[in-house]
Amino acid sequence: MSIVNNVQQQQQQAAAPTTAQVNTVTNNSVAGSIPRKSSCVVTVGMMEENRIKQRDMFKVMREKKNALMNQDGGNPNWEFINMIREYQSSIDFRPLVEGQPVDIHQITVCVRKRPLNQKEMTRKEVDVVCIPNKNTLIVHEPKAKVDLTKYLDNQKFRFDYTFDDTCSNEMVYMYTAKPLVQAVFEGAMATCFAYGQTGSGKTHTMGGGTFNGRSQDSNNGIYGLATRDIFELLQSPKYRSNNLVVSASFYEIYCGNVFDLLSNKNKARVLEDGKKQVQVVGLTEREVFSVEEVQAIISSGTNLRTSGQTAANSNSSRSHAIFSLTLRVKGTTKVHGKFSFIDLAGNERGADTVSENRRTRSESSEINKSLLSLKECIRALGRKKHLPYRGSVLTKVLRDSFIGKNIRTCMIAMIAPGMTSCEHTLNTLRYAYRVKELAVIDPDERVDPEEDLIEGDEPANGGVHNFNDLEQLRSLNENEMTMELYNQHKAISDLQQKEEEVLDNHQRVNEFLERFLPEAKELYNLTNLVDYDQDGKKPIFI
């Protein structure tokens, strides 16, 4: 009986549902007929949705990228172009325009940006320089991080004036050299420099904009514009009674030698007289009476100027050209005022001339030395320190432009806007900015370089200061003049000094021979005469 009861109980338990089964049925009836998904299935679904969203986002980005790339004609530097465009969109541009007042400074430093030339546009160069207002300039230097992410280093500079690529030569002249013309008639020694890398537009600014071969139209250059104003002031009622005359000279400095461009490039010598004044011996100086006469001198001199081919320019000026207009009272030799225009040779880094021949490297070395010396001389204008004008031939011949009470100087730094010239552009701007940092003081308080002698250091060799300007130049510019370069310049300077001594000795020999040869010839001719009459028993000559 008990066995039967047990069997019945087991059958009843098997037929009755469990509590878990009852709860499951209840939950399913509440949730509906759809079964619940597992967490793995949900995760896979979310990943698929994210993939779809990413594909859509990348598609939009790819379309935007292609649009930006095609916007600039497939320029490989399109990323930098768009970064520059985005940065400049937030700038309020108010460039210099005609009619704004001209500020007067003893030392004026300005920068001119030239437009992209045809060669740069062919290479699809990027314009990395912008000029927001009349005295501010921004360089968008392209850089890349360690992970190759591209970015811009926007560097700002401030000068007296900044001229963009739309400014004409006439406008540049109005704010740079024109105020100096008036100062020359007041007795000033004025100097206008054009500085910058090869191909940055120095000769275009100074000489004029139109070339026919090597001939240059100088009507709209600073040379011609200043000459026109000088002759107008010369005939004005205010200065007509001064009875002034104008004389012009034009010469170049190439590899430390001076060549007269008005005398078929005859070599001139730079010497110091007994009063320690630098004289250019053998230099032609012509009195001029009209603008046309001056333009003819500039044109003929420009044709003779030394030029060569470099990596930056196929017709690069390889010499410093110095054109001077001097005012004197008629009938006297005393200088009333002088305006010197210097078209400097293109500055280049030593690294850029390694692949060039020996001659080109020598040219570049001499050019950079003279530019360093010029920089230190301008910096010394505002300091009570020795003026190292003997550091180069360029600063020697410009000694009068650095010493005196009435000195006016203007530097026009020329820059190229292309991305490949960015390093040169920054070097030019830093050079010009250091000049503008000067605190110009009263020239009466400045120590004359001939009086600024180290204790116990006396002038030797006929008044020549034995202070080593070249050594001082290196100490001030160790990063730009290596010891090897210094030794090279020192050897060249010693060689040039020996050459001058040989020339002096040779000249003295020639002068002696000019006197001796006629006397020797006369004595020789006397031997052909009979000096005794044997019949008369007395000499012919008593």
Side-chain angles (χ1 to χ4, degrees), residues 245-395:
V245 294
V246 183
S247 58
S249 62
F250 198 11
Y251 57 98
E252 70 172 355
I253 300 175
Y254 176 71
C255 287
N257 297 312
V258 177
F259 299 96
D260 189 357
L261 297 178
L262 301 185
S263 183
N264 199 26
K265 295 187 73 171
N266 288 336
K267 187 176 180 181
R269 301 176 63 192
V270 180
L271 303 174
E272 291 189 32
D273 57 19
K275 298 180 181 180
K276 300 177 183 178
Q277 300 295 320
V278 177
Q279 305 291 340
V280 184
V281 181
L283 182 65
T284 303
E285 190 170 349
R286 296 180 186 173
E287 194 169 323
V288 290
F289 303 94
S290 66
V291 176
E292 291 75 19
E293 193 173 350
V294 174
Q295 289 178 346
I297 289 176
I298 296 172
S299 178
S300 62
T302 303
N303 291 335
L304 293 174
R305 188 177 175 188
T306 303
S307 63
Q309 184 174 0
T310 64
N313 193 352
S314 59
N315 188 25
S316 172
S317 299
R318 307 304 296 150
S319 65
H320 307 301
I322 303 174
F323 174 70
S324 298
L325 293 174
T326 306
L327 298 180
R328 291 185 176 88
V329 178
K330 191 173 183 179
T332 66
T333 59
K334 184 178 180 180
V335 177
H336 176 79
K338 186 176 182 180
F339 202 148
S340 298
F341 306 88
I342 295 93
D343 179 10
L344 297 170
N347 61 312
E348 295 178 343
R349 301 172 305 161
D352 296 327
T353 59
V354 171
S355 60
E356 303 291 345
N357 55 37
R358 181 173 175 270
R359 186 68 174 180
T360 304
R361 292 197 301 269
S362 177
E363 290 174 357
S364 302
S365 175
E366 185 66 30
I367 289 170
N368 290 335
K369 184 190 75 168
S370 59
L371 293 177
L372 290 177
S373 182
L374 175 63
K375 177 183 69 175
E376 296 306 326
C377 284
I378 298 177
R379 288 174 61 82
L381 285 174
R383 301 178 178 183
K384 294 183 178 181
K385 290 189 176 181
H386 173 77
L387 185 70
Y389 72 90
R390 291 186 182 87
S392 70
V393 177
L394 173 66
T395 48

Side-chain angles (χ1 to χ4, degrees), residues 32 41 70 89 99 122 133 229 243 321 340 401 427 472 475 498 502:
V41 174
N70 297 328
S89 64
T122 303
N133 52 56
D229 284 348
N243 199 22
S340 298
S401 300
N427 290 337
Q472 181 186 6
S475 65
K498 295 296 183 183
V502 171

Side-chain angles (χ1 to χ4, degrees), residues 225-242:
L225 295 172
T227 302
R228 191 176 300 117
D229 284 348
I230 286 176
F231 278 100
E232 287 181 0
L233 288 175
L234 202 63
Q235 300 300 324
S236 65
K238 183 177 181 180
Y239 300 106
R240 188 182 303 166
S241 59
N242 292 347

Side-chain angles (χ1 to χ4, degrees), residues 103-115:
D103 300 327
I104 305 299
H105 304 280
Q106 183 182 5
I107 299 177
T108 301
V109 179
C110 56
V111 177
R112 185 184 189 186
K113 167 193 172 184
R114 68 160 173 80

